[in-house]
Amino acid sequence: MSWEKICGVSDVPENALEKFEVNGIELVVANYGGGFRAFPPRCPHMEEALCDSAVLFDGMLTCTKHLWQWDMGSGEKTGIAEKELLFYDVKQEGGDLYAQVDEALVYEDDDDEDEDEDDEDFFNAD
Amino acid sequence: MPARNHKQWSAKPDLELGEWVDSRIYSDEEIFEEELDKLWKKSWIALCHESELPEPYDFRTGIIAREPVIMVRGPDNKVRAFLNVCPHRGMTIERRPSGSFAPAQPSGNPKHMTCLFHAWQFDMKGNCVDIPRQKEGYQDRLDKSSQGLRALRCEVKYGGFVWVCLDDHTEFNVETWAAGAMDCIKDSLDAEPLELIHYHKAIIDCNYKLWHDTNSEFYHDYMHYHNRITGFNDDYFQRECSAYDNGHVNVGTFTVNYEEYDVAEDRGTLSFPNLPPDNWYMVDMFPGLNFNLRGSVVRMDLMTPLSANQVMIEFRGFGLKSDSPEDRAHRIQHHNSIWGPLGRNLHEDLIGVAGQGTTMTPKSEPRRILHGRHEGAYIHDEIGMRHFYESWGKKMDRLPSDPEQKYKAGKVMGPEMPPAKGLSTFAGKGA
């Protein structure tokens, strides 16, 4: 595991979300006031782009599509969220922010896994 | 014969059953409604082409018999069709003609179809994957897993056309539905991927069958002196019409003399794969679909009946996906010079059927529409229409020449004629 420089600390103002790419891997950096978090760019619910659609306020990250929320301080899901966010480890050194992004964190995809439905039985089923 | 009074005008013509129809089949609203159910909802319709939804999560919407249909390409690259209807409150899910579900929508997520009304979301296989506040609203009484979209039978066939059939229990797949009618162009369409190069549509105040009729006989071309001296040689009028089961007809090929056309160039070098240079086949698929393979371009007309006296016709042109930009430009020019809105012959056909539509509005006085010419099943022969209306009569169980009566077989071929190629069952005399 190696630390990669993501950005300057001042590149992400408080309560802002910014998207960066390191080693070909996209991640979102959140400045929640108490520190920084880095996570994959898509909501684990339905793949919403969190950088565009999430709101960061009072230490709480909220995806505006279905109001799933995560506490940035503890890193845990809260409210109606059903899945945890995955985080890259981050650290501040000097004026810069570093993260460990050796490989992309991915959520288990729970759709598109069902059997093919287009056999003859499908259209003749009761 | 001198001019006729009402009784004389309404009398049966001196032709045999099957050689004319009653104009009420083009104008009666009850018959029209019945056609939607018995014909359009039972037939395989090529609603679009796969090149209109080339990437995963692309979609195309369309209509069959007033039912809104959406075709989507899944992440597995398979094209599926559904009713474009939300199972919640019956809202149209997608209102654009085409686009992509890959980006997020205002009230929905990326890679999903989302109903704008209450944000129910569906994946590309039609599964309902999100009902907002499902637990709060339905407790455990209703689960999204039971709320999938209405899937429709869908096949990609004959050069990448997306065929949809509203009848779950149809006895046909696309190939058995075509019953051999597409075989004459199949090898050309399937040789390599096609791509849409032209689209326009016309809404015409006429019954959809009148557009079919004008594609079923070509002897109206003979009446245009211009055609007879410019490219439509004697071979053109020797093209053979062949009838196939389920009401389809095709017209055999001939070699077009493009050098005799004004402003036209030879198309031999750009002619489709497996097609002799400058040849031209046409296939009429029951009840309202028409394929023309003409040298360098394929045209497909899709009719969508809107009312007894109104039809939407969508005109699509296709080239090869592998075309260089220069070849593509030539194909587009070839297409438009003949079939574009300002081309050589399309507007003539539209004027013809619009004129018929004017005389056959709902409740207009019935009259006889004749298609009794027998000329060896060549272009001057009206076998195409007779065959179509025999199939129409069987499927509707109405007699085309007297639609209040039940169907009985009429005369398709002259007694001196051999059965047309491809037909396994035959209603007319001389079979």
Side-chain angles (χ1 to χ4, degrees), chain A residues 44-45 83 86 105-111 113:
Chain A
H45 179 210
K83 289 181 182 170
L86 299 174
L105 299 174
V106 288
Y107 296 99
E108 274 183 40
D109 192 4
D110 57 6
D111 60 17
E113 291 297 323

Side-chain angles (χ1 to χ4, degrees), chain A:
Chain A
M1 301 287 268
S2 61
W3 291 98
E4 299 280 351
K5 182 184 165 187
I6 306 301
C7 59
V9 168
S10 58
D11 291 337
V12 187
E14 188 168 334
N15 288 333
L17 300 163
E18 295 290 345
K19 192 157 78 176
F20 297 97
E21 189 178 320
V22 189
N23 299 338
I25 296 169
E26 286 190 336
L27 52 77
V28 172
V29 171
N31 178 351
Y32 63 93
F36 292 86
R37 288 281 187 186
F39 43 84
R42 301 276 169 181
C43 179
H45 179 210
M46 294 179 73
E47 301 186 63
E48 190 63 23
L50 291 170
C51 197
D52 301 330
S53 300
V55 172
L56 182 57
F57 183 72
D58 204 16
M60 193 74 75
L61 179 73
T62 306
C63 178
T64 55
K65 282 289 161 73
H66 299 96
L67 307 182
W68 282 24
Q69 294 181 303
W70 299 269
D71 184 320
M72 291 288 99
S74 68
E76 290 177 357
K77 67 181 167 70
T78 182
I80 61 170
E82 293 172 17
K83 289 181 182 170
E84 299 287 1
L85 272 192
L86 299 174
F87 293 108
Y88 296 99
D89 287 339
V90 293
K91 71 173 182 183
Q92 288 181 57
E93 212 166 270
D96 291 326
L97 191 69
Y98 294 80
Q100 290 194 330
V101 283
D102 293 311
E103 55 185 64
L105 299 174
V106 288
Y107 296 99
E108 274 183 40
D109 192 4
D110 57 6
D111 60 17
D112 288 333
E113 291 297 323
D114 49 46
E115 289 173 29
D116 213 335
E117 71 289 357
D118 295 350
D119 53 41
E120 272 307 296
D121 290 345
F122 174 82
F123 285 104
N124 289 311
D126 290 326

Side-chain angles (χ1 to χ4, degrees), chain B residues 51-171:
Chain B
S51 65
E52 294 171 70
L53 50 163
E55 301 294 330
Y57 302 104
D58 285 351
F59 70 85
R60 184 80 171 89
T61 53
I63 299 169
I64 302 175
R66 295 203 193 102
E67 299 286 357
V69 175
I70 185 162
M71 295 152 282
V72 296
R73 185 183 290 276
D76 56 356
N77 239 354
K78 184 167 177 175
V79 176
R80 295 175 176 82
F82 307 97
L83 282 189
N84 187 10
V85 174
C86 182
H88 177 211
R89 296 267 287 275
M91 169 75 163
T92 305
I93 296 174
E94 180 54 59
R95 294 170 295 169
R96 293 170 289 176
S98 68
S100 172
F101 291 120
Q105 296 169 77
S107 53
N109 297 94
K111 302 179 181 174
H112 292 87
M113 298 178 241
T114 305
C115 180
L116 179 71
F117 207 177
H118 305 95
W120 285 32
Q121 290 194 51
F122 308 89
D123 70 15
M124 299 299 111
K125 289 183 170 182
N127 298 307
C128 180
V129 294
D130 193 69
I131 297 177
R133 292 180 65 80
Q134 178 187 311
K135 269 182 202 149
E136 294 85 343
Y138 296 103
Q139 299 80 39
D140 295 320
R141 297 171 296 121
L142 185 88
D143 187 79
K144 64 189 180 200
S145 64
S146 69
Q147 296 302 305
L149 298 183
R150 164 75 160 91
L152 303 174
R153 285 190 181 272
C154 178
E155 263 190 63
V156 178
K157 184 81 177 168
Y158 296 128
F161 287 93
V162 180
W163 300 75
V164 175
C165 178
L166 294 184
D167 180 8
D168 275 7
H169 306 297
T170 178
E171 62 185 291

Side-chain angles (χ1 to χ4, degrees), chain B residues 184-197:
Chain B
C184 61
I185 58 173
K186 174 176 170 291
D187 290 346
S188 294
L189 298 184
D190 284 335
E192 54 173 292
L194 310 184
E195 197 162 69
L196 187 79
I197 62 170

Side-chain angles (χ1 to χ4, degrees), chain B residues 282-296:
Chain B
M282 195 203 67
V283 182
D284 263 321
M285 294 289 288
F286 188 91
L289 201 58
N290 180 263
F291 293 87
N292 265 287
L293 172 58
R294 190 191 221 275
S296 52

